[in-house]
PDB file of all heavy atoms in Angstrom:
ATOM      1  N   LYS A  13     -10.833  14.846 -13.814  1.00  0.00           N
ATOM      2  CA  LYS A  13      -9.768  13.975 -14.303  1.00  0.00           C
ATOM      3  C   LYS A  13      -9.790  13.839 -15.826  1.00  0.00           C
ATOM      4  O   LYS A  13      -8.831  13.384 -16.410  1.00  0.00           O
ATOM      5  CB  LYS A  13      -9.895  12.594 -13.659  1.00  0.00           C
ATOM      6  CG  LYS A  13      -9.676  12.642 -12.165  1.00  0.00           C
ATOM      7  CD  LYS A  13      -9.858  11.291 -11.538  1.00  0.00           C
ATOM      8  CE  LYS A  13      -9.714  11.418 -10.030  1.00  0.00           C
ATOM      9  NZ  LYS A  13     -10.083  10.210  -9.332  1.00  0.00           N
ATOM     10  N   GLY A  14     -10.864  14.252 -16.468  1.00  0.00           N
ATOM     11  CA  GLY A  14     -11.015  14.037 -17.899  1.00  0.00           C
ATOM     12  C   GLY A  14     -10.297  15.025 -18.799  1.00  0.00           C
ATOM     13  O   GLY A  14     -10.062  14.733 -19.951  1.00  0.00           O
ATOM     14  N   SER A  15      -9.975  16.195 -18.287  1.00  0.00           N
ATOM     15  CA  SER A  15      -9.361  17.237 -19.121  1.00  0.00           C
ATOM     16  C   SER A  15      -8.145  17.837 -18.425  1.00  0.00           C
ATOM     17  O   SER A  15      -8.144  19.008 -18.040  1.00  0.00           O
ATOM     18  CB  SER A  15     -10.363  18.350 -19.411  1.00  0.00           C
ATOM     19  OG  SER A  15     -11.492  17.858 -20.065  1.00  0.00           O
ATOM     20  N   PRO A  16      -7.073  17.071 -18.278  1.00  0.00           N
ATOM     21  CA  PRO A  16      -5.902  17.629 -17.596  1.00  0.00           C
ATOM     22  C   PRO A  16      -5.253  18.737 -18.416  1.00  0.00           C
ATOM     23  O   PRO A  16      -5.336  18.757 -19.644  1.00  0.00           O
ATOM     24  CB  PRO A  16      -4.957  16.440 -17.460  1.00  0.00           C
ATOM     25  CG  PRO A  16      -5.357  15.512 -18.555  1.00  0.00           C
ATOM     26  CD  PRO A  16      -6.838  15.720 -18.757  1.00  0.00           C
ATOM     27  N   ILE A  17      -4.639  19.673 -17.725  1.00  0.00           N
ATOM     28  CA  ILE A  17      -3.892  20.748 -18.381  1.00  0.00           C
ATOM     29  C   ILE A  17      -2.445  20.284 -18.485  1.00  0.00           C
ATOM     30  O   ILE A  17      -1.790  20.062 -17.469  1.00  0.00           O
ATOM     31  CB  ILE A  17      -3.971  22.058 -17.575  1.00  0.00           C
ATOM     32  CG1 ILE A  17      -5.415  22.542 -17.494  1.00  0.00           C
ATOM     33  CG2 ILE A  17      -3.071  23.123 -18.190  1.00  0.00           C
ATOM     34  CD1 ILE A  17      -5.615  23.751 -16.601  1.00  0.00           C
ATOM     35  N   PRO A  18      -1.942  20.122 -19.706  1.00  0.00           N
ATOM     36  CA  PRO A  18      -0.542  19.689 -19.841  1.00  0.00           C
ATOM     37  C   PRO A  18       0.405  20.760 -19.295  1.00  0.00           C
ATOM     38  O   PRO A  18       0.165  21.951 -19.461  1.00  0.00           O
ATOM     39  CB  PRO A  18      -0.328  19.520 -21.341  1.00  0.00           C
ATOM     40  CG  PRO A  18      -1.648  19.688 -21.981  1.00  0.00           C
ATOM     41  CD  PRO A  18      -2.571  20.320 -20.991  1.00  0.00           C
ATOM     42  N   LEU A  19       1.449  20.327 -18.658  1.00  0.00           N
ATOM     43  CA  LEU A  19       2.436  21.246 -18.109  1.00  0.00           C
ATOM     44  C   LEU A  19       3.785  20.883 -18.712  1.00  0.00           C
ATOM     45  O   LEU A  19       4.279  19.779 -18.513  1.00  0.00           O
ATOM     46  CB  LEU A  19       2.474  21.121 -16.581  1.00  0.00           C
ATOM     47  CG  LEU A  19       3.477  21.985 -15.839  1.00  0.00           C
ATOM     48  CD1 LEU A  19       3.166  23.467 -16.045  1.00  0.00           C
ATOM     49  CD2 LEU A  19       3.455  21.646 -14.357  1.00  0.00           C
ATOM     50  N   ARG A  20       4.357  21.795 -19.455  1.00  0.00           N
ATOM     51  CA  ARG A  20       5.644  21.560 -20.103  1.00  0.00           C
ATOM     52  C   ARG A  20       6.743  22.178 -19.245  1.00  0.00           C
ATOM     53  O   ARG A  20       6.733  23.373 -18.979  1.00  0.00           O
ATOM     54  CB  ARG A  20       5.681  22.187 -21.492  1.00  0.00           C
ATOM     55  CG  ARG A  20       4.531  21.779 -22.389  1.00  0.00           C
ATOM     56  CD  ARG A  20       4.731  20.370 -22.891  1.00  0.00           C
ATOM     57  NE  ARG A  20       3.702  20.048 -23.870  1.00  0.00           N
ATOM     58  CZ  ARG A  20       2.811  19.085 -23.715  1.00  0.00           C
ATOM     59  NH1 ARG A  20       2.824  18.353 -22.634  1.00  0.00           N
ATOM     60  NH2 ARG A  20       1.914  18.841 -24.628  1.00  0.00           N
ATOM     61  N   LEU A  21       7.662  21.350 -18.803  1.00  0.00           N
ATOM     62  CA  LEU A  21       8.759  21.814 -17.963  1.00  0.00           C
ATOM     63  C   LEU A  21      10.092  21.585 -18.658  1.00  0.00           C
ATOM     64  O   LEU A  21      10.223  20.700 -19.502  1.00  0.00           O
ATOM     65  CB  LEU A  21       8.755  21.061 -16.627  1.00  0.00           C
ATOM     66  CG  LEU A  21       7.509  21.207 -15.752  1.00  0.00           C
ATOM     67  CD1 LEU A  21       7.599  20.286 -14.544  1.00  0.00           C
ATOM     68  CD2 LEU A  21       7.326  22.645 -15.315  1.00  0.00           C
ATOM     69  N   MET A  22      11.065  22.360 -18.269  1.00  0.00           N
ATOM     70  CA  MET A  22      12.435  22.139 -18.721  1.00  0.00           C
ATOM     71  C   MET A  22      12.946  20.888 -18.002  1.00  0.00           C
ATOM     72  O   MET A  22      12.426  20.527 -16.940  1.00  0.00           O
ATOM     73  CB  MET A  22      13.306  23.354 -18.384  1.00  0.00           C
ATOM     74  CG  MET A  22      12.837  24.649 -19.035  1.00  0.00           C
ATOM     75  SD  MET A  22      12.830  24.591 -20.833  1.00  0.00           S
ATOM     76  CE  MET A  22      14.577  24.601 -21.171  1.00  0.00           C
ATOM     77  N   PRO A  23      13.964  20.217 -18.558  1.00  0.00           N
ATOM     78  CA  PRO A  23      14.444  18.979 -17.936  1.00  0.00           C
ATOM     79  C   PRO A  23      14.791  19.125 -16.455  1.00  0.00           C
ATOM     80  O   PRO A  23      14.418  18.272 -15.635  1.00  0.00           O
ATOM     81  CB  PRO A  23      15.675  18.620 -18.765  1.00  0.00           C
ATOM     82  CG  PRO A  23      15.416  19.219 -20.108  1.00  0.00           C
ATOM     83  CD  PRO A  23      14.661  20.491 -19.826  1.00  0.00           C
ATOM     84  N   GLN A  24      15.462  20.201 -16.071  1.00  0.00           N
ATOM     85  CA  GLN A  24      15.835  20.391 -14.665  1.00  0.00           C
ATOM     86  C   GLN A  24      14.604  20.631 -13.794  1.00  0.00           C
ATOM     87  O   GLN A  24      14.537  20.169 -12.654  1.00  0.00           O
ATOM     88  CB  GLN A  24      16.841  21.545 -14.515  1.00  0.00           C
ATOM     89  CG  GLN A  24      17.374  21.717 -13.116  1.00  0.00           C
ATOM     90  CD  GLN A  24      18.048  20.445 -12.566  1.00  0.00           C
ATOM     91  OE1 GLN A  24      18.734  19.725 -13.282  1.00  0.00           O
ATOM     92  NE2 GLN A  24      17.837  20.174 -11.289  1.00  0.00           N
ATOM     93  N   GLU A  25      13.619  21.354 -14.319  1.00  0.00           N
ATOM     94  CA  GLU A  25      12.391  21.597 -13.570  1.00  0.00           C
ATOM     95  C   GLU A  25      11.639  20.290 -13.326  1.00  0.00           C
ATOM     96  O   GLU A  25      11.112  20.057 -12.230  1.00  0.00           O
ATOM     97  CB  GLU A  25      11.494  22.581 -14.325  1.00  0.00           C
ATOM     98  CG  GLU A  25      12.085  23.971 -14.458  1.00  0.00           C
ATOM     99  CD  GLU A  25      11.373  24.829 -15.482  1.00  0.00           C
ATOM    100  OE1 GLU A  25      10.679  24.285 -16.371  1.00  0.00           O
ATOM    101  OE2 GLU A  25      11.524  26.065 -15.397  1.00  0.00           O
ATOM    102  N   LEU A  26      11.603  19.442 -14.340  1.00  0.00           N
ATOM    103  CA  LEU A  26      10.938  18.145 -14.217  1.00  0.00           C
ATOM    104  C   LEU A  26      11.640  17.269 -13.186  1.00  0.00           C
ATOM    105  O   LEU A  26      10.999  16.632 -12.343  1.00  0.00           O
ATOM    106  CB  LEU A  26      10.887  17.441 -15.576  1.00  0.00           C
ATOM    107  CG  LEU A  26      10.156  16.108 -15.613  1.00  0.00           C
ATOM    108  CD1 LEU A  26       8.699  16.260 -15.184  1.00  0.00           C
ATOM    109  CD2 LEU A  26      10.240  15.512 -17.010  1.00  0.00           C
ATOM    110  N   LYS A  27      12.963  17.279 -13.225  1.00  0.00           N
ATOM    111  CA  LYS A  27      13.760  16.514 -12.257  1.00  0.00           C
ATOM    112  C   LYS A  27      13.457  17.002 -10.837  1.00  0.00           C
ATOM    113  O   LYS A  27      13.275  16.205  -9.913  1.00  0.00           O
ATOM    114  CB  LYS A  27      15.240  16.662 -12.588  1.00  0.00           C
ATOM    115  CG  LYS A  27      16.161  15.819 -11.759  1.00  0.00           C
ATOM    116  CD  LYS A  27      17.609  15.994 -12.231  1.00  0.00           C
ATOM    117  CE  LYS A  27      18.561  15.191 -11.367  1.00  0.00           C
ATOM    118  NZ  LYS A  27      19.950  15.374 -11.786  1.00  0.00           N
TER     119      LYS A  27
END
Side-chain angles (χ1 to χ4, degrees):
K13 295 178 184 171
S15 301
I17 297 174
L19 178 63
R20 307 285 187 242
L21 299 174
M22 300 299 289
Q24 186 57 38
E25 295 166 340
L26 183 60
K27 186 177 178 181

